Amino acid sequence: MAKEIFSKFIQLLGNNKGRTIGAIIGFIVSILILTIGFLKTLFIVICTGLGYFFGKKLDNQEDLKEFLNKIFPPGKTN
């Protein structure tokens, strides 16, 4: 009986991955806001987003130096 319930639960989670991930992230963020405050939580979310973004660039074997040069062009030396 328990295996059957667990199996249906796993199947439900698998069919609704976006909702499941969204609910878990929302729960974690709400716990963080309640325990450490809004600004510290915002800092953690921004750092996590930047880490994900740069990690994705590395996974796709994109040139990180070229990307950073687009954002922060090298200065001219006189």
Side-chain angles (χ1 to χ4, degrees), residues 20-34:
T20 303
I21 292 170
I24 291 170
I25 290 172
F27 179 74
I28 291 170
V29 168
S30 66
I31 295 293
L32 286 172
I33 288 174
L34 290 173

Side-chain angles (χ1 to χ4, degrees), residues 38-53:
F38 178 74
L39 292 177
K40 291 179 183 176
T41 301
L42 184 61
F43 178 73
I44 291 170
V45 169
I46 289 171
C47 288
T48 303
L50 286 172
Y52 173 82
F53 178 77

Side-chain angles (χ1 to χ4, degrees), residues 1 5-6 15 18 23 30 33 44 46 49-50 57 63 65 71:
M1 180 72 167
I5 293 172
F6 184 72
N15 291 339
S30 66
I33 288 174
I44 291 170
I46 289 171
L50 286 172
K57 292 280 185 191
D63 188 15
K65 186 176 180 181
I71 296 175

